[in-house]
Amino acid sequence: MTDELNEPLGLNEPLEPRPARRRGARTKSLVVAALLCGVGGAALLLSSRDPRAGQPIAVARIETVEPPSTPASAPAERAAVTEEDKRADEIADIEKRSGVKVTRIGGAEPPGALIIRLDEQHTALAPAPDKRLVEKGRSGPLPKIGADGAKPMEVYARPTTISARLPAGAPRIALVVGGVGLNAQLTASAIDEMPGAVTLALAPYGADPESVAAKARDRGHEILLQAPMEPYDYPRENPGPHTLLTTRGAGLEDLHWLMSRFSGYIGVVNYLGAQFTADETALTPTLTDIAGRGLLYLDDGTSPRSLVSSLAPRLALTAARADVAIDAGASGEALEKALTQIEALARRNGQAIVAAGALPQTMTRLTRFARELERKGIALVPLSALVSRIEDKEARAGKWK
């Protein structure tokens, strides 16, 4: 009799009997087998319905994370910071418009602890450029007299303010500092440290003369265009590009190039120019053009042969000549002598005009001189204030100073 159990798959050799299993172990095996069958069946059922069956899949667990709770005081703190920033901006704007010199300990931002200097009264200047006073030139915008008769020398001038502490009729001094815009440190010193009543003469060169002009006027300084003119030893001594030359005759191209470098100036002052200002043929058309644009002219007083004084009345040009010109190479002793001379002239004549350069050896002393004038009973005024007085005085006398 064939035993299919003992001779499976047609094998004739009997199988060795297996050790008997415990009942409990057999039961567990059956349970595991059943579970495996169940899982396999389920997988088969699902795979028959899943179009992506057999493809690898990834399962990610998505959890919702609640944002951290915000303390009740946070909105108030943010609001407080915003208000503080707003207040600082307002203070900075007020200080800028007031002209008051503010120094904060450690260079801190406003509001902070501070020291305020109230040693000068701020005077705001009219905005520049004024559209009424500008015309288009070949090299850039040029000043002109407005259709309503407004003149740059009047519109852009700094209003004259005299301290109430000074007696009526106190002598006046106008200080004109030239060479501004060529050296960054000296330019910043002239603009920021000198009183606003000091008139600044800006060179037409430099990286950004328009920006320098705007900063100077923002600090209350009225400004002049410092025009380079031919000296006697030209070209060995060359003032710079577009210097006004006697060889150019009546041509005004160089003058107009110089005039177009920045805006907001009340007039023109020479830089060097002993040869040019002594040549009537070259000087006359230049002064005529300056007068026709509503500008004033200042002769810096360095050349005794200058013809400006004799030509100005015939050309209806508002002009003046500096009473004292401080030499660029003046020693400390020479500088003190010049300043003493200025005070004496102002007391004797009622006014004086001084021209100086923005040089390291003179800037500190000139700044102190300007700030000490009121204590000495002398008013520091912008150049435009004395030019107008000269013009009136000479009109009455029927002659030029």
Side-chain angles (χ1 to χ4, degrees):
M1 178 177 177
T2 302
D3 187 349
E4 297 293 336
L5 293 176
N6 294 323
E7 298 179 8
L9 304 177
L11 296 178
N12 297 325
E13 295 180 2
L15 297 175
E16 293 182 4
R18 297 181 180 178
R21 295 182 179 177
R22 290 179 299 176
R23 181 171 186 151
R26 182 178 181 183
T27 303
K28 291 181 179 179
S29 298
L30 292 174
V31 172
V32 171
L35 290 174
L36 290 175
C37 290
V39 172
L44 180 61
L45 179 61
L46 292 174
S47 64
S48 63
R49 298 180 180 179
D50 187 356
R52 294 175 298 175
Q55 300 180 13
I57 62 173
V59 179
R61 183 179 180 182
I62 301 176
E63 297 181 354
T64 302
V65 179
E66 295 292 335
S69 59
T70 303
S73 60
E77 291 176 357
R78 286 198 300 270
V81 172
T82 301
E83 289 300 321
E84 185 71 16
D85 291 342
K86 182 178 179 181
R87 180 173 174 234
D89 292 341
E90 290 175 350
I91 292 174
D93 182 62
I94 291 172
E95 290 172 1
K96 180 179 179 180
R97 288 186 287 105
S98 70
V100 175
K101 180 69 175 179
V102 178
T103 304
R104 289 182 169 79
I105 299 174
E109 296 296 328
L114 47 82
I115 301 170
I116 301 178
R117 292 169 57 181
L118 297 175
D119 51 355
E120 69 170 293
Q121 182 177 357
H122 175 69
T123 301
L125 275 60
D130 187 317
K131 293 182 179 180
R132 299 174 300 163
L133 311 178
V134 178
E135 73 176 26
K136 185 178 180 181
R138 293 179 60 184
S139 301
L142 297 173
K144 72 170 186 176
I145 299 176
D148 57 355
K151 299 180 179 180
M153 67 176 179
E154 298 169 347
V155 175
Y156 296 143
R158 174 188 169 98
T160 304
T161 56
I162 305 298
S163 172
R165 294 187 290 269
L166 290 174
R172 302 181 177 191
I173 288 179
L175 174 58
V176 180
V177 176
V180 177
L182 298 177
N183 178 285
Q185 183 176 357
L186 292 177
T187 295
S189 178
I191 292 175
D192 296 332
E193 299 300 326
M194 286 194 155
V198 174
T199 300
L200 301 181
L202 276 60
Y205 312 122
D208 191 0
E210 185 69 55
S211 176
V212 174
K215 290 178 181 177
R217 300 187 78 256
D218 187 57
R219 288 292 298 161
H221 300 280
E222 68 180 19
I223 59 176
L224 296 170
L225 166 64
Q226 192 170 29
M229 300 181 184
E230 180 183 348
Y232 281 124
D233 54 355
Y234 182 87
R236 187 177 66 84
E237 184 174 18
N238 191 339
H242 297 277
T243 292
L244 305 185
L245 303 174
T246 56
T247 55
R248 298 295 295 269
L252 299 173
E253 293 83 1
D254 289 320
L255 176 63
H256 291 172
W257 185 91
L258 297 169
M259 285 181 167
S260 68
R261 294 307 90 194
F262 56 90
S263 60
Y265 50 90
I266 63 171
V268 178
V269 58
N270 62 291
Y271 173 62
L272 299 180
Q275 176 68 37
F276 188 83
T277 57
D279 189 307
E280 183 174 353
T281 302
L283 183 60
T284 298
T286 297
L287 298 183
T288 300
D289 190 75
I290 291 172
R293 296 184 180 281
L295 301 169
L296 62 82
Y297 183 89
L298 174 67
D299 187 319
D300 71 357
T302 56
S303 174
R305 297 181 59 186
S306 173
L307 299 177
V308 174
S309 297
S310 60
L311 293 176
R314 288 190 277 144
L315 303 176
L317 172 67
T318 299
R321 180 181 174 89
D323 297 291
V324 177
I326 297 179
D327 185 17
S331 63
E333 181 179 353
L335 177 59
E336 294 300 328
K337 182 178 179 180
L339 297 180
T340 300
Q341 180 186 2
I342 293 165
E343 289 186 38
L345 283 172
R347 296 184 191 282
R348 182 171 66 249
N349 300 331
Q351 64 183 50
I353 298 174
V354 55
L359 300 173
Q361 62 268 32
T362 60
M363 286 294 295
T364 301
R365 184 63 185 95
L366 287 175
T367 300
R368 189 166 74 250
F369 169 77
R371 294 190 176 279
E372 290 174 346
L373 288 177
E374 184 177 314
R375 181 176 57 82
K376 296 178 180 181
I378 300 174
L380 177 67
V381 298
L383 174 67
S384 57
L386 296 193
V387 170
S388 62
R389 292 181 69 188
I390 291 174
E391 185 179 29
D392 293 343
K393 178 181 177 182
E394 297 305 324
R396 290 193 300 270
K399 62 180 180 178
W400 178 257
K401 181 180 177 183

